[in-house]
Amino acid sequence: MGKKMKAAYLPGNSTVELREVKIPTPGHGQVLIKMKSSTICGSDIRAIYREHLGKGPEGYQNKIAGHEPAGQVVKCGPGMRRFKEGDRVVVYHISGCGLCNDCRRGYMISCTSPLRAAYGWQRDGGMAPYLLAEERDCVHLPDELTYTDGAQVACGFGTVYEALQKIGICGNDDVLVVGLGPVGLAALVVAKAMGAQKLIGVDVTPERCRIAEDKKLADHVFVSGADTLKKLLAITHGNGVERAIDCSGDTQGRQLSIRATRKWGKIAMVGEGGTVEFNPSPDIIHEQKTVYGSWVTSIWLMEELVERLVRWGIHPEELVTHRFTLDRVSEAYALMNEGKCGKVAVVFDEEIK
């Protein structure tokens, strides 16, 4: 194809550049996807948009931005095995080497090969009308889900589904979610679907707490303060919660998730960046708690999640508070950077089912 398209790049300094680039042609085992929806992740803001702080897997290589893409296959290269033109897909946003132990498990996120390349970081992502992807990185998007539903599966919803699977959720569990950005809000939605007894959300930002309240995502929502732990213990009869997930990436939030968890409880940490300080003996050892680290998800759990979302009747796009077209993508990133909204989506053409 000799045609060109506008694409968004993140040069740092809290700016977005729209550049004209050629529409790519798919090679062997590749598909060209017409973008329908591409959502913005907090990791883009933290590691790329403000300034290029990311190293290794987060090292931005001046590529088209966006690692939460969903769209429709419009052209296939030779050697295709599963997908065809017209298929609706979500893109698992890390393309691994395919041969290491992690890739063979479906965890391309953990691939350490020099061949590993994340969409929107080391290879072109979804903030453009077309995306070139490997067939092996595509996940089928059921007709019952919208493209904006699928875009959120690509990272945020997939991330929390992985973490909640690790700590396990059932009808016996009170669940605490610390940090109510898009990932934290997704954690509330998925934990409820998995059978959580009581849901509690905490954030330092009143606007994000209000989103959780307005959408009735939790039984209790608290703006974080000096007495938050006391409040959490009070509503759990002094015991604390069975399960907690930290999405804040902040030392105070992480401390709260640990200390508000009862004996024998489990905590998952998914919020990136920052540090944490706690006292191992009283905080986890003496109370027999388990802390899990959980980084994004595997492609097989993404496949499972889209099936579960249909079964549960859940539409992740309900967490989208703002939508923009590509020509206004700079506004979209600036809004996300403020940290006071829900999910922000860039949509292309009509977002159809």
Side-chain angles (χ1 to χ4, degrees), residues 6-8 10 16 18 34-41 44 65-66 68-71 126-129 147-148 151-152 320-334 336 343-351:
K6 293 285 187 180
L10 301 177
V16 181
L18 277 175
K34 183 174 177 57
M35 281 294 95
K36 297 293 186 178
S37 185
S38 188
T39 47
I40 299 177
C41 179
D44 296 324
E68 299 183 348
M127 288 297 177
Y147 287 109
T148 300
Q152 292 198 74
V320 172
T321 56
H322 298 80
R323 297 170 187 259
F324 296 85
T325 52
L326 185 64
D327 61 327
R328 297 177 59 203
V329 66
S330 183
E331 297 174 53
Y333 276 94
M336 191 70 180
K343 197 67 173 178
V344 176
V346 174
V347 295
F348 301 80
D349 301 327
E350 288 184 39
E351 210 235 309

mmCIF file of all heavy atoms in Angstrom, residues 6-8 10 16 18 34-41 44 65-66 68-71 126-129 147-148 151-152 320-334 336 343-351:
data_model
loop_
_atom_site.group_PDB
_atom_site.id
_atom_site.type_symbol
_atom_site.label_atom_id
_atom_site.label_comp_id
_atom_site.label_asym_id
_atom_site.label_seq_id
_atom_site.Cartn_x
_atom_site.Cartn_y
_atom_site.Cartn_z
ATOM 1 N N LYS A 6 -2.388 9.262 9.437
ATOM 2 C CA LYS A 6 -1.897 10.020 10.580
ATOM 3 C C LYS A 6 -1.730 9.076 11.770
ATOM 4 O O LYS A 6 -2.576 8.194 11.996
ATOM 5 C CB LYS A 6 -2.876 11.131 10.953
ATOM 6 C CG LYS A 6 -3.010 12.228 9.914
ATOM 7 C CD LYS A 6 -1.802 13.149 9.906
ATOM 8 C CE LYS A 6 -2.019 14.349 8.978
ATOM 9 N NZ LYS A 6 -0.843 15.247 8.958
ATOM 10 N N ALA A 7 -0.653 9.243 12.515
ATOM 11 C CA ALA A 7 -0.377 8.378 13.654
ATOM 12 C C ALA A 7 0.164 9.206 14.821
ATOM 13 O O ALA A 7 0.869 10.198 14.611
ATOM 14 C CB ALA A 7 0.631 7.295 13.268
ATOM 15 N N ALA A 8 -0.163 8.783 16.044
ATOM 16 C CA ALA A 8 0.234 9.522 17.244
ATOM 17 C C ALA A 8 1.524 8.970 17.833
ATOM 18 O O ALA A 8 1.669 7.757 18.025
ATOM 19 C CB ALA A 8 -0.876 9.464 18.285
ATOM 20 N N LEU A 10 4.605 9.808 21.021
ATOM 21 C CA LEU A 10 4.779 10.457 22.317
ATOM 22 C C LEU A 10 6.236 10.876 22.486
ATOM 23 O O LEU A 10 7.067 10.081 22.937
ATOM 24 C CB LEU A 10 4.355 9.510 23.449
ATOM 25 C CG LEU A 10 2.912 9.013 23.397
ATOM 26 C CD1 LEU A 10 2.645 8.025 24.534
ATOM 27 C CD2 LEU A 10 1.931 10.176 23.475
ATOM 28 N N VAL A 16 1.944 15.227 22.483
ATOM 29 C CA VAL A 16 1.624 14.204 21.490
ATOM 30 C C VAL A 16 1.882 14.804 20.114
ATOM 31 O O VAL A 16 1.530 15.954 19.855
ATOM 32 C CB VAL A 16 0.153 13.753 21.591
ATOM 33 C CG1 VAL A 16 -0.152 12.676 20.558
ATOM 34 C CG2 VAL A 16 -0.165 13.257 22.997
ATOM 35 N N LEU A 18 1.232 14.201 15.959
ATOM 36 C CA LEU A 18 0.600 13.464 14.867
ATOM 37 C C LEU A 18 1.515 13.531 13.651
ATOM 38 O O LEU A 18 1.843 14.609 13.167
ATOM 39 C CB LEU A 18 -0.768 14.058 14.540
ATOM 40 C CG LEU A 18 -1.946 13.591 15.405
ATOM 41 C CD1 LEU A 18 -3.213 14.359 15.043
ATOM 42 C CD2 LEU A 18 -2.170 12.088 15.271
ATOM 43 N N LYS A 34 -7.700 -2.738 10.890
ATOM 44 C CA LYS A 34 -8.287 -1.398 10.881
ATOM 45 C C LYS A 34 -8.740 -1.114 12.302
ATOM 46 O O LYS A 34 -9.597 -1.815 12.847
ATOM 47 C CB LYS A 34 -9.468 -1.323 9.916
ATOM 48 C CG LYS A 34 -10.078 0.079 9.823
ATOM 49 C CD LYS A 34 -11.143 0.142 8.739
ATOM 50 C CE LYS A 34 -11.804 1.516 8.686
ATOM 51 N NZ LYS A 34 -10.845 2.617 8.484
ATOM 52 N N MET A 35 -8.135 -0.105 12.913
ATOM 53 C CA MET A 35 -8.448 0.218 14.293
ATOM 54 C C MET A 35 -9.897 0.702 14.429
ATOM 55 O O MET A 35 -10.394 1.471 13.610
ATOM 56 C CB MET A 35 -7.522 1.308 14.823
ATOM 57 C CG MET A 35 -6.143 0.847 15.222
ATOM 58 S SD MET A 35 -6.146 -0.261 16.644
ATOM 59 C CE MET A 35 -6.158 -1.848 15.820
ATOM 60 N N LYS A 36 -10.534 0.238 15.495
ATOM 61 C CA LYS A 36 -11.874 0.697 15.848
ATOM 62 C C LYS A 36 -11.858 1.430 17.185
ATOM 63 O O LYS A 36 -12.578 2.409 17.377
ATOM 64 C CB LYS A 36 -12.838 -0.485 15.918
ATOM 65 C CG LYS A 36 -13.021 -1.201 14.586
ATOM 66 C CD LYS A 36 -13.729 -0.332 13.569
ATOM 67 C CE LYS A 36 -14.041 -1.101 12.300
ATOM 68 N NZ LYS A 36 -14.773 -0.285 11.315
ATOM 69 N N SER A 37 -11.029 0.959 18.107
ATOM 70 C CA SER A 37 -10.918 1.618 19.411
ATOM 71 C C SER A 37 -9.540 1.348 19.995
ATOM 72 O O SER A 37 -9.019 0.230 19.897
ATOM 73 C CB SER A 37 -11.996 1.108 20.370
ATOM 74 O OG SER A 37 -11.971 1.828 21.593
ATOM 75 N N SER A 38 -8.949 2.377 20.580
ATOM 76 C CA SER A 38 -7.639 2.260 21.204
ATOM 77 C C SER A 38 -7.668 3.073 22.491
ATOM 78 O O SER A 38 -7.842 4.291 22.454
ATOM 79 C CB SER A 38 -6.549 2.782 20.252
ATOM 80 O OG SER A 38 -5.254 2.521 20.755
ATOM 81 N N THR A 39 -7.538 2.402 23.613
ATOM 82 C CA THR A 39 -7.659 3.091 24.903
ATOM 83 C C THR A 39 -6.281 3.426 25.469
ATOM 84 O O THR A 39 -5.266 2.855 25.080
ATOM 85 C CB THR A 39 -8.475 2.249 25.899
ATOM 86 O OG1 THR A 39 -8.009 0.897 25.893
ATOM 87 C CG2 THR A 39 -9.946 2.258 25.527
ATOM 88 N N ILE A 40 -6.273 4.379 26.415
ATOM 89 C CA ILE A 40 -5.017 4.869 26.993
ATOM 90 C C ILE A 40 -4.774 4.225 28.342
ATOM 91 O O ILE A 40 -5.673 4.169 29.191
ATOM 92 C CB ILE A 40 -5.042 6.399 27.129
ATOM 93 C CG1 ILE A 40 -5.198 7.054 25.751
ATOM 94 C CG2 ILE A 40 -3.760 6.905 27.809
ATOM 95 C CD1 ILE A 40 -5.314 8.565 25.797
ATOM 96 N N CYS A 41 -3.573 3.745 28.543
ATOM 97 C CA CYS A 41 -3.180 3.074 29.784
ATOM 98 C C CYS A 41 -2.349 4.018 30.655
ATOM 99 O O CYS A 41 -1.593 4.854 30.145
ATOM 100 C CB CYS A 41 -2.362 1.837 29.451
ATOM 101 S SG CYS A 41 -1.777 0.915 30.898
ATOM 102 N N ASP A 44 1.381 4.275 29.954
ATOM 103 C CA ASP A 44 1.806 5.213 28.910
ATOM 104 C C ASP A 44 2.093 6.584 29.508
ATOM 105 O O ASP A 44 3.061 7.251 29.142
ATOM 106 C CB ASP A 44 0.717 5.366 27.846
ATOM 107 C CG ASP A 44 0.442 4.082 27.096
ATOM 108 O OD1 ASP A 44 1.399 3.332 26.845
ATOM 109 O OD2 ASP A 44 -0.720 3.832 26.762
ATOM 110 N N ALA A 65 2.144 5.191 19.239
ATOM 111 C CA ALA A 65 1.719 4.895 20.609
ATOM 112 C C ALA A 65 0.523 3.948 20.637
ATOM 113 O O ALA A 65 -0.091 3.661 19.610
ATOM 114 C CB ALA A 65 1.374 6.198 21.331
ATOM 115 N N GLY A 66 0.198 3.485 21.837
ATOM 116 C CA GLY A 66 -1.037 2.741 22.049
ATOM 117 C C GLY A 66 -0.858 1.243 22.134
ATOM 118 O O GLY A 66 -0.516 0.604 21.141
ATOM 119 N N GLU A 68 -3.384 -0.751 23.701
ATOM 120 C CA GLU A 68 -4.678 -1.344 24.021
ATOM 121 C C GLU A 68 -5.583 -1.262 22.778
ATOM 122 O O GLU A 68 -6.564 -0.526 22.753
ATOM 123 C CB GLU A 68 -5.314 -0.624 25.212
ATOM 124 C CG GLU A 68 -4.486 -0.717 26.475
ATOM 125 C CD GLU A 68 -5.140 -0.071 27.681
ATOM 126 O OE1 GLU A 68 -6.140 0.660 27.526
ATOM 127 O OE2 GLU A 68 -4.659 -0.302 28.798
ATOM 128 N N PRO A 69 -5.242 -2.018 21.725
ATOM 129 C CA PRO A 69 -5.952 -1.874 20.450
ATOM 130 C C PRO A 69 -6.970 -2.983 20.185
ATOM 131 O O PRO A 69 -6.762 -4.151 20.527
ATOM 132 C CB PRO A 69 -4.813 -1.946 19.427
ATOM 133 C CG PRO A 69 -3.744 -2.772 20.091
ATOM 134 C CD PRO A 69 -4.002 -2.781 21.573
ATOM 135 N N ALA A 70 -8.052 -2.606 19.533
ATOM 136 C CA ALA A 70 -9.028 -3.570 19.035
ATOM 137 C C ALA A 70 -9.530 -3.087 17.687
ATOM 138 O O ALA A 70 -9.715 -1.882 17.476
ATOM 139 C CB ALA A 70 -10.183 -3.726 20.018
ATOM 140 N N GLY A 71 -9.742 -4.013 16.775
ATOM 141 C CA GLY A 71 -10.193 -3.619 15.456
ATOM 142 C C GLY A 71 -10.566 -4.809 14.600
ATOM 143 O O GLY A 71 -10.781 -5.918 15.095
ATOM 144 N N GLY A 126 -1.502 1.089 18.494
ATOM 145 C CA GLY A 126 -2.847 1.278 17.984
ATOM 146 C C GLY A 126 -3.369 2.687 17.854
ATOM 147 O O GLY A 126 -4.555 2.866 17.543
ATOM 148 N N MET A 127 -2.536 3.706 18.069
ATOM 149 C CA MET A 127 -3.021 5.081 17.916
ATOM 150 C C MET A 127 -2.833 5.571 16.483
ATOM 151 O O MET A 127 -2.168 6.563 16.203
ATOM 152 C CB MET A 127 -2.309 6.007 18.911
ATOM 153 C CG MET A 127 -2.741 5.812 20.344
ATOM 154 S SD MET A 127 -4.500 6.192 20.587
ATOM 155 C CE MET A 127 -4.673 5.777 22.335
ATOM 156 N N ALA A 128 -3.447 4.830 15.571
ATOM 157 C CA ALA A 128 -3.418 5.132 14.142
ATOM 158 C C ALA A 128 -4.564 4.363 13.501
ATOM 159 O O ALA A 128 -5.064 3.401 14.084
ATOM 160 C CB ALA A 128 -2.078 4.724 13.523
ATOM 161 N N PRO A 129 -4.979 4.735 12.311
ATOM 162 C CA PRO A 129 -6.098 4.036 11.679
ATOM 163 C C PRO A 129 -5.833 2.568 11.369
ATOM 164 O O PRO A 129 -6.784 1.783 11.252
ATOM 165 C CB PRO A 129 -6.319 4.832 10.391
ATOM 166 C CG PRO A 129 -5.811 6.201 10.698
ATOM 167 C CD PRO A 129 -4.615 5.974 11.577
ATOM 168 N N TYR A 147 -15.861 -3.003 20.322
ATOM 169 C CA TYR A 147 -14.424 -2.829 20.140
ATOM 170 C C TYR A 147 -13.793 -2.132 21.345
ATOM 171 O O TYR A 147 -12.645 -2.427 21.711
ATOM 172 C CB TYR A 147 -14.142 -2.046 18.857
ATOM 173 C CG TYR A 147 -14.374 -2.852 17.603
ATOM 174 C CD1 TYR A 147 -15.452 -2.589 16.765
ATOM 175 C CD2 TYR A 147 -13.511 -3.884 17.251
ATOM 176 C CE1 TYR A 147 -15.662 -3.333 15.610
ATOM 177 C CE2 TYR A 147 -13.715 -4.641 16.094
ATOM 178 C CZ TYR A 147 -14.796 -4.358 15.285
ATOM 179 O OH TYR A 147 -14.999 -5.100 14.148
ATOM 180 N N THR A 148 -14.532 -1.228 21.977
ATOM 181 C CA THR A 148 -13.985 -0.575 23.168
ATOM 182 C C THR A 148 -13.947 -1.539 24.341
ATOM 183 O O THR A 148 -13.061 -1.451 25.199
ATOM 184 C CB THR A 148 -14.789 0.690 23.507
ATOM 185 O OG1 THR A 148 -14.718 1.594 22.391
ATOM 186 C CG2 THR A 148 -14.223 1.406 24.725
ATOM 187 N N ALA A 151 -10.693 -3.361 23.557
ATOM 188 C CA ALA A 151 -9.482 -2.573 23.816
ATOM 189 C C ALA A 151 -9.085 -2.654 25.284
ATOM 190 O O ALA A 151 -7.898 -2.706 25.614
ATOM 191 C CB ALA A 151 -9.710 -1.123 23.397
ATOM 192 N N GLN A 152 -10.059 -2.682 26.176
ATOM 193 C CA GLN A 152 -9.740 -2.752 27.603
ATOM 194 C C GLN A 152 -9.290 -4.146 28.026
ATOM 195 O O GLN A 152 -8.514 -4.288 28.974
ATOM 196 C CB GLN A 152 -10.943 -2.300 28.420
ATOM 197 C CG GLN A 152 -11.220 -0.826 28.245
ATOM 198 C CD GLN A 152 -12.105 -0.294 29.343
ATOM 199 O OE1 GLN A 152 -11.686 -0.121 30.477
ATOM 200 N NE2 GLN A 152 -13.356 -0.058 28.998
ATOM 201 N N VAL A 320 -15.542 3.674 30.451
ATOM 202 C CA VAL A 320 -15.030 4.782 29.644
ATOM 203 C C VAL A 320 -15.836 6.038 29.967
ATOM 204 O O VAL A 320 -17.054 6.057 29.828
ATOM 205 C CB VAL A 320 -15.122 4.463 28.137
ATOM 206 C CG1 VAL A 320 -14.769 5.691 27.302
ATOM 207 C CG2 VAL A 320 -14.193 3.301 27.786
ATOM 208 N N THR A 321 -15.146 7.067 30.401
ATOM 209 C CA THR A 321 -15.818 8.330 30.728
ATOM 210 C C THR A 321 -15.638 9.373 29.637
ATOM 211 O O THR A 321 -16.393 10.341 29.580
ATOM 212 C CB THR A 321 -15.284 8.899 32.056
ATOM 213 O OG1 THR A 321 -13.859 9.047 31.974
ATOM 214 C CG2 THR A 321 -15.619 7.970 33.217
ATOM 215 N N HIS A 322 -14.648 9.177 28.757
ATOM 216 C CA HIS A 322 -14.392 10.154 27.697
ATOM 217 C C HIS A 322 -13.926 9.444 26.429
ATOM 218 O O HIS A 322 -13.125 8.506 26.487
ATOM 219 C CB HIS A 322 -13.322 11.169 28.126
ATOM 220 C CG HIS A 322 -13.705 11.985 29.322
ATOM 221 N ND1 HIS A 322 -13.606 11.503 30.612
ATOM 222 C CD2 HIS A 322 -14.191 13.250 29.418
ATOM 223 C CE1 HIS A 322 -14.012 12.433 31.454
ATOM 224 N NE2 HIS A 322 -14.367 13.493 30.761
ATOM 225 N N ARG A 323 -14.416 9.915 25.274
ATOM 226 C CA ARG A 323 -14.024 9.388 23.972
ATOM 227 C C ARG A 323 -13.539 10.531 23.084
ATOM 228 O O ARG A 323 -14.111 11.626 23.115
ATOM 229 C CB ARG A 323 -15.199 8.680 23.287
ATOM 230 C CG ARG A 323 -15.725 7.458 24.022
ATOM 231 C CD ARG A 323 -17.036 6.985 23.398
ATOM 232 N NE ARG A 323 -17.638 5.923 24.172
ATOM 233 C CZ ARG A 323 -17.574 4.633 23.869
ATOM 234 N NH1 ARG A 323 -16.939 4.251 22.766
ATOM 235 N NH2 ARG A 323 -18.128 3.730 24.636
ATOM 236 N N PHE A 324 -12.508 10.256 22.313
ATOM 237 C CA PHE A 324 -11.939 11.252 21.414
ATOM 238 C C PHE A 324 -11.678 10.616 20.054
ATOM 239 O O PHE A 324 -11.472 9.408 19.953
ATOM 240 C CB PHE A 324 -10.613 11.802 21.959
ATOM 241 C CG PHE A 324 -10.735 12.556 23.257
ATOM 242 C CD1 PHE A 324 -10.719 11.880 24.481
ATOM 243 C CD2 PHE A 324 -10.851 13.938 23.260
ATOM 244 C CE1 PHE A 324 -10.822 12.580 25.677
ATOM 245 C CE2 PHE A 324 -10.956 14.647 24.452
ATOM 246 C CZ PHE A 324 -10.947 13.953 25.658
ATOM 247 N N THR A 325 -11.663 11.437 19.016
ATOM 248 C CA THR A 325 -11.200 10.990 17.713
ATOM 249 C C THR A 325 -9.692 11.228 17.636
ATOM 250 O O THR A 325 -9.123 11.959 18.456
ATOM 251 C CB THR A 325 -11.924 11.748 16.591
ATOM 252 O OG1 THR A 325 -11.820 13.163 16.842
ATOM 253 C CG2 THR A 325 -13.393 11.346 16.523
ATOM 254 N N LEU A 326 -9.041 10.624 16.650
ATOM 255 C CA LEU A 326 -7.586 10.693 16.575
ATOM 256 C C LEU A 326 -7.079 12.122 16.446
ATOM 257 O O LEU A 326 -6.016 12.451 16.981
ATOM 258 C CB LEU A 326 -7.077 9.841 15.409
ATOM 259 C CG LEU A 326 -5.556 9.733 15.280
ATOM 260 C CD1 LEU A 326 -4.954 9.029 16.502
ATOM 261 C CD2 LEU A 326 -5.173 8.993 13.994
ATOM 262 N N ASP A 327 -7.821 12.985 15.768
ATOM 263 C CA ASP A 327 -7.349 14.360 15.608
ATOM 264 C C ASP A 327 -7.347 15.129 16.935
ATOM 265 O O ASP A 327 -6.742 16.192 17.042
ATOM 266 C CB ASP A 327 -8.194 15.096 14.565
ATOM 267 C CG ASP A 327 -9.672 15.179 14.947
ATOM 268 O OD1 ASP A 327 -10.175 14.234 15.584
ATOM 269 O OD2 ASP A 327 -10.310 16.179 14.605
ATOM 270 N N ARG A 328 -7.996 14.561 17.961
ATOM 271 C CA ARG A 328 -8.008 15.177 19.290
ATOM 272 C C ARG A 328 -7.250 14.319 20.307
ATOM 273 O O ARG A 328 -7.463 14.435 21.506
ATOM 274 C CB ARG A 328 -9.448 15.389 19.750
ATOM 275 C CG ARG A 328 -10.258 16.349 18.882
ATOM 276 C CD ARG A 328 -11.692 16.447 19.365
ATOM 277 N NE ARG A 328 -11.770 16.902 20.755
ATOM 278 C CZ ARG A 328 -12.811 16.661 21.563
ATOM 279 N NH1 ARG A 328 -13.845 15.967 21.128
ATOM 280 N NH2 ARG A 328 -12.799 17.114 22.803
ATOM 281 N N VAL A 329 -6.344 13.489 19.816
ATOM 282 C CA VAL A 329 -5.647 12.555 20.700
ATOM 283 C C VAL A 329 -4.814 13.280 21.756
ATOM 284 O O VAL A 329 -4.635 12.778 22.875
ATOM 285 C CB VAL A 329 -4.772 11.585 19.867
ATOM 286 C CG1 VAL A 329 -3.636 12.315 19.167
ATOM 287 C CG2 VAL A 329 -4.252 10.456 20.731
ATOM 288 N N SER A 330 -4.320 14.469 21.444
ATOM 289 C CA SER A 330 -3.554 15.227 22.424
ATOM 290 C C SER A 330 -4.403 15.563 23.646
ATOM 291 O O SER A 330 -3.933 15.485 24.791
ATOM 292 C CB SER A 330 -3.011 16.518 21.792
ATOM 293 O OG SER A 330 -2.213 17.223 22.710
ATOM 294 N N GLU A 331 -5.664 15.906 23.407
ATOM 295 C CA GLU A 331 -6.589 16.182 24.513
ATOM 296 C C GLU A 331 -6.825 14.928 25.343
ATOM 297 O O GLU A 331 -6.965 14.994 26.571
ATOM 298 C CB GLU A 331 -7.926 16.693 23.973
ATOM 299 C CG GLU A 331 -7.861 18.015 23.230
ATOM 300 C CD GLU A 331 -9.202 18.359 22.609
ATOM 301 O OE1 GLU A 331 -10.213 18.363 23.355
ATOM 302 O OE2 GLU A 331 -9.261 18.606 21.391
ATOM 303 N N ALA A 332 -6.893 13.791 24.675
ATOM 304 C CA ALA A 332 -7.137 12.528 25.360
ATOM 305 C C ALA A 332 -6.016 12.209 26.345
ATOM 306 O O ALA A 332 -6.264 11.846 27.503
ATOM 307 C CB ALA A 332 -7.288 11.400 24.339
ATOM 308 N N TYR A 333 -4.768 12.356 25.908
ATOM 309 C CA TYR A 333 -3.634 12.071 26.801
ATOM 310 C C TYR A 333 -3.566 13.092 27.940
ATOM 311 O O TYR A 333 -3.262 12.743 29.086
ATOM 312 C CB TYR A 333 -2.326 12.056 26.015
ATOM 313 C CG TYR A 333 -2.051 10.736 25.346
ATOM 314 C CD1 TYR A 333 -2.429 10.517 24.017
ATOM 315 C CD2 TYR A 333 -1.423 9.704 26.023
ATOM 316 C CE1 TYR A 333 -2.183 9.301 23.391
ATOM 317 C CE2 TYR A 333 -1.177 8.482 25.409
ATOM 318 C CZ TYR A 333 -1.559 8.288 24.091
ATOM 319 O OH TYR A 333 -1.319 7.085 23.487
ATOM 320 N N ALA A 334 -3.828 14.351 27.632
ATOM 321 C CA ALA A 334 -3.788 15.384 28.671
ATOM 322 C C ALA A 334 -4.831 15.115 29.752
ATOM 323 O O ALA A 334 -4.565 15.286 30.949
ATOM 324 C CB ALA A 334 -4.007 16.760 28.048
ATOM 325 N N MET A 336 -6.143 12.135 30.547
ATOM 326 C CA MET A 336 -5.716 10.952 31.298
ATOM 327 C C MET A 336 -4.608 11.310 32.292
ATOM 328 O O MET A 336 -4.549 10.790 33.401
ATOM 329 C CB MET A 336 -5.225 9.877 30.335
ATOM 330 C CG MET A 336 -5.009 8.516 30.972
ATOM 331 S SD MET A 336 -6.549 7.728 31.442
ATOM 332 C CE MET A 336 -5.912 6.199 32.147
ATOM 333 N N LYS A 343 -11.778 5.578 32.217
ATOM 334 C CA LYS A 343 -11.002 5.185 31.044
ATOM 335 C C LYS A 343 -11.216 6.184 29.914
ATOM 336 O O LYS A 343 -12.305 6.715 29.722
ATOM 337 C CB LYS A 343 -11.437 3.793 30.578
ATOM 338 C CG LYS A 343 -10.443 3.128 29.655
ATOM 339 C CD LYS A 343 -9.143 2.791 30.376
ATOM 340 C CE LYS A 343 -8.211 1.980 29.491
ATOM 341 N NZ LYS A 343 -6.930 1.684 30.157
ATOM 342 N N VAL A 344 -10.150 6.430 29.145
ATOM 343 C CA VAL A 344 -10.205 7.332 28.009
ATOM 344 C C VAL A 344 -9.948 6.520 26.743
ATOM 345 O O VAL A 344 -8.986 5.750 26.669
ATOM 346 C CB VAL A 344 -9.163 8.456 28.132
ATOM 347 C CG1 VAL A 344 -9.162 9.334 26.886
ATOM 348 C CG2 VAL A 344 -9.431 9.293 29.376
ATOM 349 N N ALA A 345 -10.829 6.685 25.748
ATOM 350 C CA ALA A 345 -10.725 5.917 24.513
ATOM 351 C C ALA A 345 -10.577 6.828 23.303
ATOM 352 O O ALA A 345 -11.169 7.911 23.249
ATOM 353 C CB ALA A 345 -11.955 5.032 24.329
ATOM 354 N N VAL A 346 -9.771 6.386 22.352
ATOM 355 C CA VAL A 346 -9.707 7.030 21.038
ATOM 356 C C VAL A 346 -10.421 6.087 20.081
ATOM 357 O O VAL A 346 -10.045 4.907 19.953
ATOM 358 C CB VAL A 346 -8.247 7.260 20.595
ATOM 359 C CG1 VAL A 346 -8.196 7.784 19.165
ATOM 360 C CG2 VAL A 346 -7.562 8.246 21.551
ATOM 361 N N VAL A 347 -11.460 6.577 19.427
ATOM 362 C CA VAL A 347 -12.280 5.721 18.565
ATOM 363 C C VAL A 347 -12.124 6.149 17.109
ATOM 364 O O VAL A 347 -11.873 7.315 16.799
ATOM 365 C CB VAL A 347 -13.765 5.753 18.980
ATOM 366 C CG1 VAL A 347 -13.929 5.149 20.366
ATOM 367 C CG2 VAL A 347 -14.308 7.178 18.973
ATOM 368 N N PHE A 348 -12.256 5.165 16.230
ATOM 369 C CA PHE A 348 -12.036 5.373 14.809
ATOM 370 C C PHE A 348 -13.311 5.007 14.055
ATOM 371 O O PHE A 348 -13.885 3.940 14.287
ATOM 372 C CB PHE A 348 -10.899 4.502 14.307
ATOM 373 C CG PHE A 348 -9.588 4.763 15.009
ATOM 374 C CD1 PHE A 348 -9.324 4.216 16.261
ATOM 375 C CD2 PHE A 348 -8.614 5.545 14.409
ATOM 376 C CE1 PHE A 348 -8.123 4.461 16.901
ATOM 377 C CE2 PHE A 348 -7.414 5.793 15.049
ATOM 378 C CZ PHE A 348 -7.166 5.258 16.290
ATOM 379 N N ASP A 349 -13.739 5.880 13.140
ATOM 380 C CA ASP A 349 -14.966 5.657 12.391
ATOM 381 C C ASP A 349 -16.113 5.451 13.385
ATOM 382 O O ASP A 349 -16.140 6.024 14.459
ATOM 383 C CB ASP A 349 -14.827 4.441 11.444
ATOM 384 C CG ASP A 349 -13.693 4.623 10.460
ATOM 385 O OD1 ASP A 349 -13.430 5.766 10.057
ATOM 386 O OD2 ASP A 349 -13.061 3.628 10.105
ATOM 387 N N GLU A 350 -17.037 4.589 13.024
ATOM 388 C CA GLU A 350 -18.095 4.251 13.964
ATOM 389 C C GLU A 350 -17.625 3.055 14.765
ATOM 390 O O GLU A 350 -17.056 2.104 14.241
ATOM 391 C CB GLU A 350 -19.382 3.864 13.228
ATOM 392 C CG GLU A 350 -20.085 5.030 12.578
ATOM 393 C CD GLU A 350 -21.395 4.571 11.955
ATOM 394 O OE1 GLU A 350 -22.073 3.741 12.557
ATOM 395 O OE2 GLU A 350 -21.712 5.047 10.873
ATOM 396 N N GLU A 351 -17.857 3.097 16.077
ATOM 397 C CA GLU A 351 -17.503 1.943 16.891
ATOM 398 C C GLU A 351 -18.684 0.993 16.852
ATOM 399 O O GLU A 351 -19.662 1.123 17.567
ATOM 400 C CB GLU A 351 -17.201 2.367 18.328
ATOM 401 C CG GLU A 351 -16.200 1.442 18.973
ATOM 402 C CD GLU A 351 -16.710 0.874 20.259
ATOM 403 O OE1 GLU A 351 -17.156 1.634 21.100
ATOM 404 O OE2 GLU A 351 -16.662 -0.360 20.397
#
